[in-house]
Amino acid sequence: MSQDKENFRDSIGTINEEGKRAWVFPKKPSGKWYSYRKYVSYFLLVFLLLAPFVKIDGNQFLMFNVLERRFNIFGFPFWPQDFHLFVISMIIGVLFIALFTVAFGRIFCGWMCPQTIFLEMVFRRIEYWIDGDRGAQIKLDRQPWNAEKIRKRTTKWIIFFIISFVIANVFLAYLIGSDRLIQYITDGPLQHISTMVSLLIFTAVFFWVFAWFREQVCIIACPYGRMQGVLLDNKSIIVAYDHVRGEAENGRKKFRKNEDRAALGHGDCIDCFQCVNVCPTGIDIRNGTQLECVNCTACIDECDTIMEKVNLPKGLIRYASEDEITKKEKFKFTPRLKGYTAVLTILTGILIGMLFLRNDLEANILRLPGQLYEHKEDNIISNVYTYKLVNKTTKDVNDVSFKLLSHQGTIKLVRNEDFRVPAQNLAEGTLFIEINNAAIKSDKEKIKIGVYSGNELVETTMTAFLAPRSYQ
């Protein structure tokens, strides 16, 4: 860690001494790690843009319809009745990120987070194209509103707004489903005013985030940035400055040609500030692990480039743990990591088992609230029920009927005896169950009902059957 105590701070890096926003003008990154990030980002961008439009067995690949409580994860549909499965899936996702954070720091933020990918690989690259690199952007920001500045700002903001509108449409496809979105587009905006208003609100939010709020999302709004402080330890591999090598005995010093830095006790850091200039959150990585660092590796590439130019070894800033830098200890699979892995493995196994055991047609048969039994002729006891059948598949379930499996008796529907449950939809109705008193052993009997499609048993369910106490 840096020996220059004046470099330490007690406020976030994007706030100046007056408490105002300190705008970050990062230098355009380049290098090995940035190239890797581009490949990963382009793949994820394609994935994010296409996922709501890809279908598996008729199910949207990813959908998070909060209003109707319908979710599709990797083609698996989750209905309100499957909420426990959705919760387990989300817990597994959080644990997976936590496991990687303990092992590799905030790598999710720098490499996979949609906020970082869109900002760094889309919006900022457009900004470099229009406004130029760091120096040109600073100059443009300081100059008065002349024709050049107005032209560049207007062009950039129009492009940002168009991209934000596209992102908002894709975001809406995740929420309401791609089929419905395409239908709304085909119908025209005037036919769906409320949806259009929502779309423009989403567009405005995305535009505001990527045009102005930017890195503040990672620093202020995102809870994961705060959580990393709890998850990281000295064994976590992060983007780290090798302060042992960089500071040496007498600290940093500007580079001078043909100077014997080792003999003078100076570290390999030549205090060029390029790692600071290239940082998208405006921090000095030489001050150690910080809240704002998203592990984007821009400082690694820039430092390696400088080290190569001054004929010093690369890796002054690199992926490393604090223990590796100070104690030369290599990465180990610690008991903490083993614990996270064990819990993750168990939950994943439970989820897979539940998915295999889940029925494609789910039945709920409940007694009609406020209704008692009816005593009919020939010692027949009748109870009235409501039923709800949820078809989770993309195919209709035809010729649906009910049969008592646990008792001798009859089931009478208020509607036609056989009906169908539409694909990815539900069927509701009322039915009567009639059982002879001789087959009833208690005043609240558990009965088992089978749901059939034709002659095939597709689901079973249990419900309560009330009878008078005198028949116990």
Side-chain angles (χ1 to χ4, degrees), residues 427-461:
E428 298 176 285
T430 306
L431 57 82
F432 292 90
I433 298 179
E434 298 178 351
I435 302 176
N436 191 288
N437 60 6
I440 301 172
K441 299 179 181 178
S442 67
D443 60 340
K444 192 173 184 180
E445 191 105 350
K446 287 289 184 183
I447 59 174
K448 187 176 182 180
I449 301 170
V451 183
Y452 286 80
S453 175
N455 295 321
E456 180 187 358
L457 179 65
V458 293
E459 170 69 314
T460 59
T461 185

Side-chain angles (χ1 to χ4, degrees), residues 21 42 58 75 126 158 228 271 303 305 344 352 360 377 383 447 449 454:
R21 169 81 177 272
Y42 294 153
I126 292 170
I158 289 174
Q228 73 159 344
D271 208 18
C303 186
T305 300
L344 189 62
I352 292 173
D360 291 334
E377 295 180 354
N383 280 208
I447 59 174
I449 301 170

Side-chain angles (χ1 to χ4, degrees), residues 28 34 38 42 119-130:
K28 186 177 181 180
Y34 185 65
K38 283 196 294 185
Y42 294 153
L119 177 59
E120 299 300 327
M121 297 299 172
V122 179
F123 289 89
R124 246 196 247 281
R125 288 177 69 84
I126 292 170
E127 195 166 60
Y128 289 134
W129 171 56
I130 295 173

Side-chain angles (χ1 to χ4, degrees), residues 139-168:
K139 180 181 177 182
L140 184 67
D141 182 67
R142 291 175 179 174
Q143 74 183 47
W145 283 90
N146 53 23
E148 179 193 12
K149 187 170 183 176
I150 292 172
R151 174 177 54 80
K152 288 186 175 181
R153 286 285 188 267
T154 304
T155 304
K156 182 174 70 174
W157 289 340
I158 289 174
I159 295 174
F160 279 10
F161 185 85
I162 293 171
I163 296 174
S164 298
F165 184 73
V166 172
I167 296 173

Side-chain angles (χ1 to χ4, degrees), residues 172-191:
L172 198 61
Y174 279 104
L175 292 182
I176 67 174
S178 57
D179 290 341
R180 189 180 300 180
L181 175 66
I182 293 171
Q183 182 63 49
Y184 287 175
I185 294 172
T186 304
D187 294 343
L190 295 180
Q191 301 297 319

Side-chain angles (χ1 to χ4, degrees), residues 8-189:
F8 289 95
R9 55 191 170 82
D10 56 6
S11 65
I12 60 176
T14 53
I15 300 296
N16 61 24
E17 294 179 356
E18 289 78 29
K20 297 180 180 180
R21 169 81 177 272
W23 196 266
V24 178
F25 297 97
K27 180 181 177 182
K28 186 177 181 180
S30 62
K32 177 184 70 174
W33 289 105
Y34 185 65
S35 296
Y36 293 158
R37 280 182 60 215
K38 283 196 294 185
Y39 300 145
V40 173
S41 297
Y42 294 153
F43 170 79
L44 291 177
L45 277 173
V46 172
F47 177 84
L48 288 169
L49 295 174
L50 295 183
F53 302 97
V54 173
K55 293 187 177 181
I56 297 178
D57 292 332
N59 294 314
Q60 189 169 308
F61 189 68
L62 286 177
M63 184 177 73
F64 305 94
N65 192 333
V66 179
L67 298 177
E68 298 178 5
R69 292 179 297 168
R70 288 179 57 189
F71 307 92
N72 288 357
I73 300 179
F74 303 136
F76 286 100
F78 294 88
W79 289 71
Q81 295 81 1
D82 298 318
F83 187 70
H84 59 291
L85 297 176
F86 179 74
V87 170
I88 293 175
S89 300
M90 293 298 101
I91 293 174
I92 289 174
V94 171
L95 276 175
F96 186 77
I97 294 174
L99 173 64
F100 267 78
T101 303
V102 172
F104 304 110
R106 206 171 168 181
I107 192 170
F108 173 83
C109 296
W111 289 74
M112 290 170 280
C113 176
Q115 159 70 17
T116 303
I117 291 172
F118 278 111
L119 177 59
E120 299 300 327
M121 297 299 172
V122 179
F123 289 89
R124 246 196 247 281
R125 288 177 69 84
I126 292 170
E127 195 166 60
Y128 289 134
W129 171 56
I130 295 173
D131 291 349
D133 209 340
R134 170 181 164 81
Q137 290 183 23
I138 295 174
K139 180 181 177 182
L140 184 67
D141 182 67
R142 291 175 179 174
Q143 74 183 47
W145 283 90
N146 53 23
E148 179 193 12
K149 187 170 183 176
I150 292 172
R151 174 177 54 80
K152 288 186 175 181
R153 286 285 188 267
T154 304
T155 304
K156 182 174 70 174
W157 289 340
I158 289 174
I159 295 174
F160 279 10
F161 185 85
I162 293 171
I163 296 174
S164 298
F165 184 73
V166 172
I167 296 173
N169 274 274
V170 175
F171 180 71
L172 198 61
Y174 279 104
L175 292 182
I176 67 174
S178 57
D179 290 341
R180 189 180 300 180
L181 175 66
I182 293 171
Q183 182 63 49
Y184 287 175
I185 294 172
T186 304
D187 294 343

